Amino acid sequence: MAVDSFATATAALRALVDEADRYLATLPGPGVADVRAGVAEWRQGPVTPAVATTANSVVSAHLPAALALLGLDRPTLSLAIAEAAPALDWVSYDRYPPADIGPSFARGHAYARIIGDGATIPARDFDLGLFLIAPHVLYRDHHHPAPELYAPLTGPHGWRFAPGAPLIMKHAHEPVWNPPDEPHATKVGAVPFLCLYGWTRNVDLPARVMPADDWPELEDLRLEP
Ligand SMILES: [Fe+2]
């Protein structure tokens, strides 16, 4: 990476952390303060922009639409994400057995750590990142020891907090706090799911899928825009 582009990417990543924290400060509910405390602890760390080799296909296909929607009501955050996105290392979560998590989620999501182990800003046992899922994908019921804040930047999307329970619709900017090992699932609506997420501890412990017998109908379901 050339010196100029390194400096530009570094500035974009710092600006994204600042903008994400400003956004989190506007949200109600549990977990927001915990994530902001982690951001405050780690935000001054060194920044290492990712050197993208090939574009992530989920990001190419769905991030522009998600950011266009976000730009309607949070234009500065949308712009900050757009400018930092090329300097982030977008990957798939690879710790689920493929048969458990299913092919549509496995092929239909990407996430990028902004702060965390191996991220642009390194941190111990704390993650802040962006999470993107294609429209209509079901992120099957799962749980993990990490306490987790989702701050959805698009919506509406469907949620549930017990396998087999009915979906609850939540709009953009309605945060979801998942205490350690509490089950949760997300059914993406008609628009791409984009969120800021925070894991406040236990980030190295894997997530696990929880079986439910209604996945086929939820995977076929098309939620209204
Ligand atoms: Fe989760």
Side-chain angles (χ1 to χ4, degrees):
M1 191 178 283
V3 173
D4 280 358
S5 55
F6 182 89
T8 302
T10 300
L13 290 163
R14 293 243 183 249
L16 174 57
V17 173
D18 290 348
E19 199 56 45
D21 189 56
R22 264 195 288 277
Y23 173 73
L24 291 172
T26 68
L27 299 180
V32 173
D34 304 67
V35 173
R36 292 193 67 218
V39 172
E41 180 176 359
W42 296 103
R43 74 193 300 174
Q44 301 305 335
V47 172
T48 309
V51 180
T53 48
T54 55
N56 181 290
S57 61
V58 177
V59 174
S60 305
H62 300 295
L63 187 61
L67 292 181
L69 284 171
L70 179 61
L72 299 176
D73 58 3
R74 299 291 191 282
T76 54
L77 179 58
S78 178
L79 188 61
I81 294 171
E83 292 187 339
L88 293 169
D89 186 18
W90 294 89
V91 296
S92 302
Y93 188 76
D94 60 3
R95 299 182 75 173
Y96 293 124
D100 290 359
I101 199 59
S104 68
F105 179 79
R107 286 195 300 261
H109 82 280
Y111 76 98
R113 292 189 189 98
I114 304 166
I115 299 175
D117 183 27
T120 57
I121 300 175
R124 284 190 307 279
D125 210 22
F126 177 80
D127 274 3
L128 175 77
L130 289 163
F131 183 25
L132 178 67
I133 315 176
H136 305 303
V137 168
L138 174 68
Y139 185 5
R140 293 176 175 177
D141 306 86
H142 64 283
H143 67 94
H144 38 72
E148 172 182 70
L149 178 73
Y150 281 126
L153 305 176
T154 62
H157 305 293
W159 299 81
R160 70 180 183 185
F161 303 95
L167 294 176
I168 301 163
M169 297 306 294
K170 289 181 177 286
H171 289 87
H173 316 307
E174 286 188 57
V176 172
W177 173 246
N178 294 311
D181 281 320
E182 290 290 313
H184 49 284
T186 310
K187 170 66 188 185
V188 179
V191 299
F193 174 90
L194 176 66
C195 80
L196 280 165
Y197 74 88
W199 277 20
T200 58
R201 60 188 161 84
N202 294 332
V203 304
D204 291 332
L205 299 177
R208 295 187 200 287
V209 174
M210 308 174 75
D213 57 14
D214 59 353
W215 287 341
E217 72 189 67
L218 287 180
E219 287 176 342
D220 288 345
L221 177 68
R222 295 292 179 266
L223 294 170
E224 297 291 318

